[in-house]
Amino acid sequence: MTRWCSLRWRMAVVATMFIVFLTNPVRSQPQTNVLTQSCSEVNVINFQIFISNLNDTYRDIRRQLSSNNTYFATSIVASNSEPVYVMAQCRKYMSTSDCVRCFDFAASSIRICASFNGARLVLDGCFLR
């Protein structure tokens, strides 16, 4: 009986060592390869108000995507002369943290279109408009 317990103990130690030392940890992958990007041809009228509204909608989108199991979010600030409508969507298989990281990358990348009133960016993992 003691020999059987000793063998089981050794097998458990070997299995644990295998799991700890021989497996690769999973790495996060927000999939931020740019597939397509486009900017509108129409300039904004009041840049400061537009950027303020844009930042407000981005904060709202990020908050929505940070809640678990949410892959689609919209936000609107339309109460003044520079209305902003934002839509973001992540692939459904992504983790919440990868979705938020993809959105963050898209939000910073699409800023090159900030002086225009429209933009679109499609990445491997998410879409921002």
Side-chain angles (χ1 to χ4, degrees), residues 37 45 123:
Q37 181 171 0
I45 297 168
L123 304 172

Tab-separated table of all heavy atoms in Angstrom, residues 37 45 123:
chain	number	residue	atom	x	y	z
A	37	GLN	N	-8.070	51.839	-43.612
A	37	GLN	CA	-8.310	53.084	-42.890
A	37	GLN	C	-8.700	54.144	-43.896
A	37	GLN	O	-8.097	54.242	-44.965
A	37	GLN	CB	-7.063	53.508	-42.133
A	37	GLN	CG	-7.246	54.770	-41.335
A	37	GLN	CD	-6.061	55.052	-40.427
A	37	GLN	OE1	-5.103	54.308	-40.387
A	37	GLN	NE2	-6.141	56.144	-39.692
A	45	ILE	N	-15.859	72.049	-38.359
A	45	ILE	CA	-15.940	73.507	-38.311
A	45	ILE	C	-15.221	74.036	-37.068
A	45	ILE	O	-14.388	74.915	-37.157
A	45	ILE	CB	-17.412	73.966	-38.336
A	45	ILE	CG1	-18.043	73.536	-39.660
A	45	ILE	CG2	-17.531	75.470	-38.136
A	45	ILE	CD1	-19.540	73.656	-39.706
A	123	LEU	N	-9.345	46.843	-38.126
A	123	LEU	CA	-8.188	46.070	-37.688
A	123	LEU	C	-8.558	44.589	-37.697
A	123	LEU	O	-9.724	44.237	-37.873
A	123	LEU	CB	-7.779	46.487	-36.270
A	123	LEU	CG	-7.470	47.966	-36.054
A	123	LEU	CD1	-7.269	48.262	-34.590
A	123	LEU	CD2	-6.248	48.376	-36.836
